[in-house]
Amino acid sequence: MPERGYSSLANIRQARLEVEGRVFSYWQYKLQYEFAAGNTATVGALGGVRDAFIAYTYFKPIIFQVGQMFEPVGLEASKSTNYTDFMEKALATEAFGPGHHVGAAVLALGDNWSAKAGVFSTSTLDNSLTPAPGTQVPYWVPSKAGWAATGGSQYFDVAGRATYAPIMEEDRLLHLGVSGRYHRPNDSTGNNDNRVMLLGGNTQDESNVLKENLLGTPDLSCGQVGVLGNPPVAGKCVRDVLTYGVEAMGSYGPVSVQGEYFGSHYDRDAGSVLEASTLGYYAPGGSSLDFNGYYVYGTWYLTGESRAAAYKVNALNPANFGQIKILNPLSKGGLGAWELGLRFSALNLNNGPYTGTNFVNLIALAPNQATRSYVANSSVLGGREEDMTLGMNWYPEVGFRVMANWTRVMLVDAPWNRAYLNGAHPNTFLVRTQVDW
């Protein structure tokens, strides 16, 4: 039986149709719709939109872009799933990578370097496009007056990424990069800002089709809090969030190594946390929280291809990888390209003095309610996980791929609401066929 999720499932993981092109020489556009989107019903017709932007290239190498696009954070996070080396992105990428957001960005390109930054807000991947109510009804207004809490203010991000490739050849590559993201929640809660305020709750154990989620923090914004019988409004426990990342990738012939590290610092309002706790809302942790994660993996093309040849700097999503160059495709009598990969990934969403079985035992053995409350509110337990994934990919032709991944969870330190996960070591095995053109 699965610890959490499906024990087996056959499904369409991704089914996307896109239109892209260039008009009047200097305008580029792209519209991509996801027909397999699982959250379409919760956010309306926009639920399947992924890329939807225009870009103005007249001043190239300076490019201006507006619409929904990848926020420029991380190497793997801003990479199309058409070209990832494993079936799903790593734990840390899923937890800290912002994905697609609506905003405006400016991009600068060189022969072997890139820099992109922008301001962003809502995403069609959010649970809801509407933040929590932002203005309370005054306590002295009688309920018969029919007043209601107003809508709140949406979150916004400032994000940027810079890369440099000191070695960039057909079969050799050294890529380095840094990125950062400043997130201002405003009136948002986990209801509409779930990927930041419910950190780890959307991390599906690198096997998304099975929904095998083992992690997840409580709502770090304290959720919606009601005072003196007034309509609940955003608890506003988080002032801002700073996420940072470093990335490196090296390729020599058919062999490559890639890794990234992410850290995230939450600056919280101690007064709001205390208020929410006093009113009976679960608001653990203090005024400062830190979480982190990383991954490292290696690949080897058994048939001699090189990832270096698929590296592109000059793109709207710069310094990333596209379709590999297959040396001997099946249609020309060859075997296609065969790739072997091994990845280790780790994610730590715990913060505070008590975690894991110590947290559970201290609550169970506490002599009184006051002690139990102290322990329960002292730490944020989103859980900790370490995974190992073995993958094999076959590329018979350009645009075609068959993938197989076996992932074993090497370690689980259970989150706050699922103590039974401590010591679990679930395994998942997935096979995928893919075509894009």
Side-chain angles (χ1 to χ4, degrees):
M1 295 298 294
E3 297 295 342
R4 187 179 177 93
Y6 302 110
S7 58
S8 64
L9 188 68
N11 205 354
I12 296 176
R13 171 67 177 86
Q14 181 174 297
R16 297 182 178 180
L17 183 64
E18 67 181 55
V19 180
E20 60 180 314
R22 181 187 298 270
V23 293
F24 301 115
S25 300
Y26 303 114
W27 295 93
Q28 288 183 240
Y29 62 88
K30 183 176 181 180
L31 174 61
Q32 182 187 79
Y33 195 90
E34 170 64 270
F35 288 90
N39 68 336
T40 302
T42 63
V43 295
L46 292 177
V49 172
R50 292 300 179 261
D51 284 316
F53 59 76
I54 56 175
Y56 187 57
T57 63
Y58 180 83
F59 299 102
K60 198 172 182 178
I62 305 297
I63 299 173
F64 299 93
Q65 189 176 359
V66 63
Q68 177 154 294
M69 68 195 87
F70 276 119
E71 284 194 21
V73 176
L75 174 59
E76 192 179 51
S78 57
K79 183 179 185 178
S80 169
T81 51
N82 286 347
Y83 309 119
T84 54
D85 293 290
F86 295 86
M87 290 175 61
E88 302 295 351
K89 297 177 181 180
L91 289 171
T93 301
E94 291 286 357
F96 298 113
H100 292 87
H101 283 264
V102 176
V106 60
L107 166 64
L109 298 171
D111 292 335
N112 62 345
W113 63 270
S114 73
K116 186 174 184 178
V119 179
F120 304 88
S121 187
T122 188
S123 169
T124 55
L125 297 175
D126 291 336
N127 277 347
S128 168
L129 300 184
T130 305
T135 304
Q136 295 188 45
V137 176
Y139 73 91
W140 45 265
V141 176
S143 59
K144 293 182 179 179
W147 288 26
T150 65
S153 175
Q154 182 62 278
Y155 66 82
F156 75 87
D157 291 344
V158 178
R161 176 174 177 247
T163 70
Y164 174 59
I167 301 174
M168 195 173 73
E169 301 173 3
E170 186 72 12
D171 62 349
R172 293 198 310 155
L173 174 69
L174 177 60
H175 161 95
L176 305 170
V178 295
S179 59
R181 178 193 189 199
Y182 174 82
H183 184 87
R184 184 78 175 185
N186 293 327
D187 294 320
S188 295
T189 69
N191 180 57
N192 72 302
D193 192 9
N194 60 301
R195 288 175 294 166
V196 178
M197 296 305 161
L198 294 171
L199 189 61
N202 68 316
T203 304
Q204 306 292 349
D205 193 26
E206 301 172 340
S207 56
N208 290 16
V209 73
L210 292 174
K211 306 297 182 186
E212 185 80 358
N213 170 257
L214 306 178
L215 304 173
T217 67
D219 192 339
L220 300 176
S221 73
C222 298
Q224 298 187 45
V225 177
V227 182
L228 297 176
N230 288 300
V233 297
K236 295 187 177 182
C237 286
V238 176
R239 291 195 184 99
D240 51 53
V241 183
L242 181 62
T243 301
Y244 50 91
V246 293
E247 61 193 64
M249 185 275 181
S251 177
Y252 187 83
V255 177
S256 75
V257 177
Q258 178 175 313
E260 292 189 77
Y261 174 87
F262 291 97
S264 198
H265 176 79
Y266 284 67
D267 178 28
R268 302 213 296 174
D269 188 311
S272 296
V273 173
L274 179 61
E275 178 184 29
S277 298
T278 303
L279 293 171
Y281 295 89
Y282 186 47
S287 58
S288 180
L289 304 174
D290 289 281
F291 308 104
N292 62 79
Y294 66 92
Y295 73 85
V296 60
Y297 73 74
T299 68
W300 176 28
Y301 278 97
L302 305 177
T303 45
E305 287 78 7
S306 177
R307 285 188 69 200
Y311 185 71
K312 297 179 181 179
V313 174
N314 186 11
L316 294 179
N317 194 28
N320 223 310
F321 297 86
Q323 171 70 48
I324 66 163
K325 296 181 179 180
I326 302 173
L327 297 179
N328 296 294
L330 209 62
S331 59
K332 294 184 179 181
L335 298 175
W338 289 83
E339 179 187 24
L340 184 66
L342 182 65
R343 178 174 69 190
F344 179 82
S345 57
L347 181 60
N348 186 356
L349 302 181
N350 291 334
N351 186 279
Y354 310 115
T355 61
T357 54
N358 289 334
F359 179 84
V360 176
N361 291 337
L362 284 171
I363 290 180
L365 299 174
N368 51 56
Q369 181 59 41
T371 304
R372 280 192 293 272
S373 296
Y374 167 75
V375 174
N377 287 283
S378 64
S379 305
V380 171
L381 268 67
R384 184 165 68 95
E385 182 176 346
E386 295 178 358
D387 288 359
M388 186 76 75
T389 298
L390 177 64
M392 174 70 82
N393 300 325
W394 178 44
Y395 305 78
E397 307 286 348
V398 171
F400 288 80
R401 180 163 65 163
V402 180
M403 313 177 73
N405 278 188
W406 169 50
T407 298
R408 176 169 175 80
V409 177
M410 310 296 290
L411 178 148
V412 174
D413 193 354
W416 61 287
N417 58 348
R418 284 174 274 165
Y420 59 87
L421 289 176
N422 278 312
H425 298 283
N427 294 269
T428 59
F429 181 75
L430 298 93
V431 176
R432 175 180 301 164
T433 58
Q434 174 187 311
V435 59
D436 67 274
W437 69 93

